[in-house]
Amino acid sequence: AQKITQTQPGMFVQEKEAVTLDCTYDTSDQSYGLFWYKQPSSGEMIFLIYQGSYDEQNATEGRYSLNFQKARKSANLVISASQLGDSAMYFCAMRGLKAAGNKLTFGGGTRVLVKP
Amino acid sequence: SQTIHQWPATLVQPVGSPLSLECTVEGTSNPNLYWYRQAAGRGLQLLFYSVGIGQISSEVPQNLSASRPQDRQFILSSKKLLLSDSGFYLCAWSPPGRMPKMVSNQPQHFGDGTRLSIL
């Protein structure tokens, strides 16, 4: 079984500052992938970034980067230079090698509010 | 390019009434399809997934059922809605399969969701 934990239910960040969203996971799979999604108030789920367990480099996509610490089983999302449009719910998810149907397991999410 | 359509966007139904939510995907073949439910301010709970026509896997026991009558069509149904069925329902797809001994790096792509209120 896989489990994703996001311990920060909500946080404020000042515009133009960086913010780190925590994600820890538990799995018995040797190979797995970690995904981050953004959900604005409108409800759609937007894929942000992916990190594979065997990737040697931390993933980056524009202002998003992943601080992947495999030994600690954490995959924290860093958003640099926050913008007002970054205000949203953020979900961490994982997929294990044994996941039937390429299922994802989601964490409970972190709500981010960017202040001007 | 691939697109996913989900409808209706909002739905208000009385307790005990039937339900049918539809999701279709365009631009891909044999996708994996998923139905999720999200309570207000909470994470996503996977309800059903399908890896092919007529193949449905249920993740949690509940009042709902799913069907996949065509390759790119996924339907969520109920014969009699309960108050506890209220929520935000999301359909998603991902490419099929994966390389042997490698986890798939393909994200799931989501529809815009249906907000279901049971009165």
Side-chain angles (χ1 to χ4, degrees), chain A:
Chain A
Q2 289 150 4
K3 186 176 181 180
I4 294 281
T5 302
Q6 296 180 252
T7 57
Q8 307 153 307
M11 54 198 310
F12 290 97
V13 59
Q14 200 65 41
E15 191 178 12
K16 300 182 184 177
E17 292 185 350
V19 60
T20 297
L21 308 183
D22 295 341
C23 173
T24 57
Y25 59 89
D26 191 22
T27 181
S28 58
D29 286 337
Q30 295 300 310
S31 175
Y32 51 89
L34 295 148
F35 301 78
W36 276 92
Y37 284 85
K38 172 184 178 181
Q39 187 180 41
S41 57
S42 52
E44 75 266 32
M45 293 285 286
I46 302 167
F47 166 66
L48 296 177
I49 195 167
Y50 168 82
Q51 178 82 47
S53 59
Y54 285 105
D55 292 342
E56 294 184 354
Q57 306 273 350
N58 283 344
T60 61
E61 286 287 347
R63 294 188 298 111
Y64 304 108
S65 60
L66 238 157
N67 182 5
F68 180 50
Q69 299 186 49
K70 193 171 181 178
R72 294 187 174 186
K73 293 190 175 181
S74 73
N76 298 338
L77 177 70
V78 180
I79 306 174
S80 62
S82 296
Q83 303 172 356
L84 296 179
D86 294 334
S87 295
M89 284 287 287
Y90 289 82
F91 292 97
C92 180
M94 79 173 297
R95 172 186 292 143
L97 179 64
K98 301 172 188 172
N102 286 341
K103 295 184 295 182
L104 290 176
T105 300
F106 283 83
T110 294
R111 183 175 300 279
V112 172
L113 184 59
V114 180
K115 299 186 293 183

Side-chain angles (χ1 to χ4, degrees), chain B residues 57-73:
Chain B
S57 296
S58 175
E59 289 292 289
V60 292
Q62 58 206 307
N63 184 42
L64 303 168
S65 62
S67 61
R68 185 171 177 173
Q70 300 181 45
D71 181 42
R72 290 167 289 179
Q73 183 184 28

